[in-house]
Amino acid sequence: VQLQASGGGLVQAGGSLRLSCTASGDIFGIYDMDWYRQAPGKQRELVAHTTSYGNRDYAESVKGRFTISREDAKKSVYLQINSLKPGDTAVYYCRMGVRRTITAYATTYWGQGTLVTVSS
């Protein structure tokens, strides 16, 4: 199973980006899908989470600006980022809980990260 993240880039403060992450490989089902980010010199933090039931949670610092969504038929998760701030500059990683077969337990897989840089 591989996760491919894309959509990062350089954007001015106040701008928007849409990150995408798509899973490929032998997949029976995908459960939780998350976006994390890691700024230079800081620990990786969870910014948005969605379950297979459609529940969504966000870090306080991004509520009202970030929206996570999923498209199970495409094995994809998205992160719409609006009103970007310089403090949002980080590498953004997607994470999915994946069952490869009907009898397997869910295993965590990570995307390679996509860099978001916000200029002031």
Side-chain angles (χ1 to χ4, degrees):
V1 175
Q2 290 188 327
L3 273 56
Q4 182 69 42
S6 62
L10 174 63
V11 63
Q12 288 189 331
S16 298
L17 283 173
R18 186 175 187 248
L19 309 184
S20 301
C21 177
T22 299
S24 61
D26 294 330
I27 297 171
F28 171 76
I30 303 176
Y31 299 91
D32 293 0
M33 296 181 176
D34 308 317
W35 284 98
Y36 285 73
R37 68 184 180 186
Q38 187 166 19
K42 295 188 177 181
Q43 290 188 330
R44 191 174 298 189
E45 63 171 345
L46 176 65
V47 295
H49 168 77
T50 182
T51 70
S52 56
Y53 298 103
N55 299 324
R56 305 177 190 182
D57 291 303
Y58 299 93
E60 285 296 324
S61 60
V62 307
K63 279 183 179 179
R65 300 189 298 120
F66 288 21
T67 302
I68 188 170
S69 60
R70 58 190 289 162
E71 195 169 359
D72 291 325
K74 293 187 176 182
K75 301 182 180 66
S76 295
V77 62
Y78 308 99
L79 188 68
Q80 178 66 41
I81 309 175
N82 297 328
S83 303
L84 277 158
K85 304 175 182 179
D88 295 320
T89 295
V91 178
Y92 285 71
Y93 297 91
C94 55
R95 188 207 72 85
M96 297 185 186
V98 176
R99 284 177 70 184
R100 298 189 64 183
T101 68
I102 192 170
T103 58
Y105 290 103
T107 301
T108 289
Y109 292 90
W110 291 88
Q112 85 285 5
T114 185
L115 177 63
V116 173
T117 304
V118 184
S119 62
S120 56

